[in-house]
Amino acid sequence: MADPVEFPSTTPGFAIPLLFAGQSQKEFFINQAFGLIDSFMQRAVVESTDTTPTAPEEGSAYRVLANASGAWSGYDDAIAIYIGGAWQFVTPTQGMAVFDRAAEKWLVFRSTWVSAEAQTPPVGGAVVDSEARVAIDNLVNALRAVGVLPTA
């Protein structure tokens, strides 16, 4: 007879809680899982901040900045999602991408959150070729930073 299969308590990607046979309060775990899935389907956060919002909307997600205070203390870099009147925290994984609505930019987790920054375009004149080369290099490096292009 085969050994019984043992399941972890959460999914590997977003730590969505899994049910166990005979588990009490299944509705709590199912609702928590649906809340996490619903927030992550958008792949967006309201903003990146170190201050816990005082009146967050149900299902809203935020990126927790370093040295956060209050309910977010100790959750640097996590995604905080407000579900059922409480904060749920998702630890980012390598390659996770979210859109920061307040900053209007994509963020990618690569050991820390990174984003492509706006590059200064060449302005013309006698050194257009060298300015264009610098602008192209900066653009390539920005695309590498967020994983659009490989790093080497």
Side-chain angles (χ1 to χ4, degrees):
M1 179 173 202
D3 291 332
V5 176
E6 290 189 31
F7 292 99
S9 61
T10 61
T11 61
F14 291 119
I16 295 170
L18 297 174
L19 297 177
F20 292 96
Q23 182 174 0
S24 62
Q25 296 183 329
K26 287 182 172 84
E27 66 280 358
F28 171 79
F29 290 89
I30 290 172
N31 290 341
Q32 180 185 20
F34 285 156
L36 290 168
I37 291 167
D38 183 65
S39 291
F40 270 111
M41 286 184 77
Q42 299 176 54
R43 290 186 24 177
V45 294
V46 173
E47 67 177 324
S48 299
T49 181
D50 61 359
T51 306
T52 307
T54 55
E57 289 186 26
E58 180 70 17
S60 59
Y62 296 82
R63 180 174 69 105
V64 180
L65 296 178
N67 302 316
S69 58
W72 291 0
S73 180
Y75 290 99
D76 296 358
D77 284 339
I79 302 296
I81 305 169
Y82 193 71
I83 302 171
W87 291 105
Q88 302 289 317
F89 297 93
V90 176
T91 302
T93 57
Q94 208 61 354
M96 179 186 282
V98 296
F99 185 76
D100 184 319
R101 291 183 177 136
E104 296 185 341
K105 65 180 177 180
W106 281 97
L107 301 163
V108 176
F109 190 78
R110 300 183 82 183
S111 299
T112 187
W113 290 102
V114 295
S115 65
E117 299 301 325
Q119 302 301 312
T120 305
V123 293
V127 292
V128 172
D129 185 54
S130 62
E131 286 181 359
R133 288 176 191 272
V134 169
I136 291 169
D137 285 344
N138 289 341
L139 179 59
V140 168
N141 289 331
L143 293 173
R144 283 183 176 147
V146 295
V148 172
L149 298 175
T151 55

